[in-house]
Amino acid sequence: MELEERVADLERRLAALEGAQRDAPRLDESDFWALNGLKEQLSEVGAADGGVLYTGSVRLPTGEEYAWQMGALTEGLLEEDWTVAAESFAALGHPVRLRLLREVLGGRRTAADLAELDEVGTTGQIYHHLRQLTGTGWLRTSGRGRYEVPPERVVPLLVAVATARP
């Protein structure tokens, strides 16, 4: 097979993969059942400025299951000091840290497991990233050098990733 044919074949296969990712199943957003429920709750408590709700029901590749929701009134959110969130966002703002979080959710729980991954850096760099993530609450140690995403942070983490997608 000539080089041009091979490149054309690779381009076709890449386009098919990109199309499959774009066409991946998503929740039906035409029926705003969660939004309608939120509006009803806000009406009952007299929250004229509205609010936000995020919720999820998750089964990880490890078999662990999490169900979680959180709501907040707009007024309270707009009055808070947002600078306290900067450190938490900064911890998520590094590609290696996001990769480490994804791998921990997938079952790699020790620094040694994580060090086996390609393109995550040296053991010292991995520990630096793990300290950043534990310091901001995205990870915690669960004994014997094992790490986990705290149950109350699993859904918020996935929400943060989902909201960052194009």
Side-chain angles (χ1 to χ4, degrees):
M1 185 182 284
E2 290 186 32
L3 180 61
E4 290 177 10
E5 291 173 344
R6 289 175 41 200
V7 169
D9 181 54
L10 283 172
E11 287 175 341
R12 278 190 299 276
R13 291 176 19 199
L14 179 61
L17 285 172
E18 288 172 339
Q21 183 179 9
R22 219 178 12 258
D23 300 334
R26 293 180 182 234
L27 290 176
D28 182 7
E29 295 178 10
S30 63
D31 181 16
F32 291 100
W33 50 269
L35 178 59
N36 291 332
L38 173 63
K39 286 181 177 180
E40 186 177 315
Q41 289 282 322
L42 293 170
S43 173
E44 289 175 11
V45 297
D49 293 334
V52 297
L53 170 71
Y54 54 102
T55 185
S57 177
V58 177
R59 178 177 298 140
L60 298 178
T62 59
E64 296 162 292
E65 294 186 32
Y66 301 95
W68 195 84
Q69 76 176 29
M70 181 184 170
L73 299 178
T74 304
E75 180 180 354
L77 289 172
L78 293 176
E79 291 174 358
E80 286 181 8
D81 178 9
W82 287 10
T83 60
V84 298
E87 190 175 351
S88 185
F89 284 135
L92 295 178
H94 195 287
V96 170
R97 291 186 198 131
L98 289 173
R99 170 91 187 275
L100 294 174
L101 286 166
R102 188 182 71 203
E103 295 293 340
V104 168
L105 288 175
R108 291 182 188 261
R109 300 291 168 90
T110 66
D113 290 340
L114 296 167
E116 294 173 357
L117 299 170
D118 291 330
E119 301 176 11
V120 293
T122 66
T123 303
Q125 290 168 327
I126 290 169
Y127 276 110
H128 167 77
H129 292 305
L130 292 172
R131 276 191 305 275
Q132 290 292 116
L133 293 167
T134 55
T136 54
W138 291 110
L139 280 180
R140 71 178 176 202
T141 56
S142 59
R144 300 185 129 198
R146 297 180 59 80
Y147 293 87
E148 67 181 10
V149 176
E152 68 276 8
R153 296 300 288 257
V154 172
V155 171
L157 174 61
L158 295 174
V159 168
V161 170
T163 60
R165 294 187 331 196

